[in-house]
Amino acid sequence: MRRRDRTAAQNDSGVEHPAPGGAATGMVPRLAPGARRDLGTPAWIFAYLAGWRVGTEPPVLFRVLGRHRRLFRGWLRFAGRLMPGGVLPRRETELVILRVAHLRGCRYEFDHHVRLGVRAGVTRADLARLTDEGPEADGWSPRERAILTAVDALQTEGDLGDAAWDGLRAHLDERESIELIMLAAHYDMLATVITALRIPPDPRRRR
């Protein structure tokens, strides 16, 4: 097995979270978040609006990656095609992202998508199942179980065996199956970036 679940930590909302990683463990962030002059006005406005939507200051991740303006713009277009512009229902998209973040122990990614997941219909009971038992927990629909089983296989093996693939295709069409694999792989990549750059948590928005 390539990766294992990290020990969960609990935040002040009572929701199980993955063990903090990167800057949350006390490591110094490796790049300072860019100011408006570093990101350019369009990227700064986008970051501000993204933070406003979830109740934080402009996301640190966006303000760091935005220092590479051209790459940041290209990444946003690609990421937006997966979420929120993908063919998978938003609830399923958020379950995939949250499961990847949990398995990777990426606190930043998990916290951010808890906030987005609530808006997409992810409940506290879903979060508890997702972090405590995963795909084997009672309460998932057959489709959700197949999706989460595929996510776990991609994380632990870097592949989908025939059984996981057949289970997935019993519920997802071709486009959904392609998108699911790319979505899980994208947020695995993003967890690596967040960890390697020691991205700290987003401050809550000042009232």
Side-chain angles (χ1 to χ4, degrees):
M1 181 174 287
R2 189 163 61 92
R3 297 192 180 103
R4 299 178 185 274
D5 283 21
R6 273 65 165 184
T7 302
Q10 200 173 62
N11 75 350
D12 56 7
S13 70
V15 174
E16 290 282 324
H17 279 205
T25 63
M27 296 182 184
V28 177
R30 287 179 165 159
L31 294 173
R36 184 170 184 161
R37 65 179 177 275
D38 302 308
L39 277 61
T41 298
W44 176 258
I45 292 173
F46 175 84
Y48 176 85
L49 292 174
W52 179 83
R53 185 184 179 204
V54 295
T56 69
E57 295 296 308
V60 178
L61 177 64
F62 291 173
R63 291 161 59 206
V64 170
L65 298 187
R67 286 183 169 279
H68 191 325
R69 294 189 186 187
R70 185 176 179 184
L71 182 59
F72 182 63
R73 291 194 299 269
W75 170 66
L76 284 180
R77 285 193 293 271
F78 171 72
R81 282 294 182 184
L82 292 171
M83 191 287 292
V87 297
L88 291 170
R90 279 300 311 281
R91 170 182 159 83
E92 292 175 0
T93 299
E94 293 300 333
L95 289 175
V96 169
I97 296 168
L98 287 163
R99 185 62 178 168
V100 170
H102 173 67
L103 292 173
R104 286 298 310 272
C106 185
R107 183 68 173 263
Y108 184 100
E109 195 170 76
F110 193 94
D111 284 358
H112 186 73
H113 283 276
V114 164
R115 293 188 283 265
L116 292 177
V118 167
R119 298 179 179 214
V122 177
T123 67
R124 288 179 58 136
D126 292 327
L127 290 170
R129 285 198 300 271
L130 196 76
T131 56
D132 292 347
E133 301 176 69
E136 301 306 316
D138 293 333
W140 301 123
S141 71
R143 178 180 162 105
E144 289 169 346
R145 192 183 309 280
I147 287 171
L148 293 173
T149 297
V151 170
D152 279 26
L154 290 168
Q155 277 290 301
T156 58
E157 305 297 335
D159 191 13
L160 277 184
D162 290 341
W165 173 251
D166 290 344
L168 193 65
R169 291 291 281 123
H171 300 281
L172 275 64
D173 65 21
E174 289 182 354
R175 291 198 307 157
E176 290 172 328
S177 298
I178 292 169
E179 183 175 303
L180 171 69
I181 294 170
M182 293 189 72
L183 178 70
H186 174 252
Y187 278 88
D188 181 53
M189 177 276 292
L190 197 56
T192 298
V193 172
I194 290 166
T195 301
L197 292 179
R198 310 292 191 255
I199 302 293
D202 292 328
R204 299 297 296 178
R205 189 172 68 244
R206 293 186 293 272
R207 299 291 182 181

